[in-house]
Amino acid sequence: MSDPQTLAAYAARAQDYAADYTPDSQHDADYAGFVAGLPEGGTVLDLGCGPGFWAARFRDDGYRVAAVDASPEMAEVALQTHGIEVSIAEFDDIEVSGVFDGIWAFFSLLHAPRDDFPTHLFRLRNALKPGGRLCLAMKLGEGEGRDALGRFYAYYHEDELRGILKVMGFTVETSRYGEGKGLAGVEDGFVVLTAHA
């Protein structure tokens, strides 16, 4: 994610985001379903880790976690709040092959332009070990746009996401719909897909 407006919005609100961000229990099932297919002590990439909540949870549950985010401000919050060392990187910077048992892309790739999305998934597919798992959470809708904070979003329907994942070599195992209020204070519909390479 290299959109200046999106990065500026997160930079200005990093502390508030960390203070307010307490994932509700509806995401416990997503987490449990994802880690159920990981080997004990497996390696997880938290892509777009934000303030580090999920990365800390992976770590505390015994997984080796690589936390990545494009926002230096979010990385600093993750370090100060959870002791998580975050690599400052964008989606295009994921260039490893066969490294991760799982990739947690939880409401991060929704900031990528639609034209770039398949390429990012291809990179993630390559970064996984054979049979590795992906958890992908995205907002539902059509097209692209900005929210009230100026953040860029790309929106999808589940069948569209399934089609792109299939082309990129993923097999979807489960999907779940939900609604949640984000940093902008608006209730949005979303879908969480768990897949394997």
Side-chain angles (χ1 to χ4, degrees), residues 15 17-18 31 51 76 78-80 82 87 107 111-112 115 128 136 138-139 144 165 167 176 183:
Q15 293 291 343
Y17 189 70
Y31 180 86
E76 181 61 24
L79 179 61
Q80 297 300 322
H82 300 290
S87 297
F107 299 104
H111 291 308
D115 286 348
L128 284 168
L136 175 69
M138 304 285 283
K139 290 188 178 183
E144 299 174 334
L165 286 165
V167 169
R176 182 182 70 82
L183 189 59

Side-chain angles (χ1 to χ4, degrees), residues 49 66-71 75 84-90:
C49 67
V68 172
D69 202 277
S71 167
I84 294 292
E85 295 276 354
V86 178
S87 297
I88 309 301
E90 299 180 4

Side-chain angles (χ1 to χ4, degrees), residues 18-149:
D20 294 340
Y21 185 67
T22 303
D24 56 47
S25 59
Q26 72 168 319
H27 294 306
D28 286 346
D30 302 320
Y31 180 86
F34 175 69
V35 300
L38 297 178
E40 184 176 348
T43 302
V44 176
L45 171 64
D46 186 350
L47 182 67
C49 67
F53 174 87
W54 292 111
R57 186 166 178 180
F58 285 119
R59 177 200 62 199
D60 294 346
D61 286 345
Y63 298 98
R64 292 171 293 165
V65 60
V68 172
D69 202 277
S71 167
E73 294 79 10
M74 284 291 187
E76 181 61 24
V77 170
L79 179 61
Q80 297 300 322
T81 306
H82 300 290
I84 294 292
E85 295 276 354
V86 178
S87 297
I88 309 301
E90 299 180 4
F91 303 138
D92 285 341
D93 296 325
I94 307 301
E95 296 183 335
V96 295
S97 180
V99 170
F100 301 107
D101 296 296
I103 296 176
W104 182 257
F106 216 64
F107 299 104
S108 55
L109 284 171
L110 41 65
H111 291 308
R114 291 174 64 90
D115 286 348
D116 297 337
F117 183 62
T119 301
H120 295 321
L121 285 179
F122 177 80
R123 290 175 183 271
L124 297 184
R125 171 66 179 80
N126 192 52
L128 284 168
K129 296 176 183 178
R133 299 170 66 74
L134 170 71
C135 186
L136 175 69
M138 304 285 283
K139 290 188 178 183
L140 294 167
E142 297 180 357
E144 299 174 334
R146 294 189 183 274
D147 68 2
L149 303 179

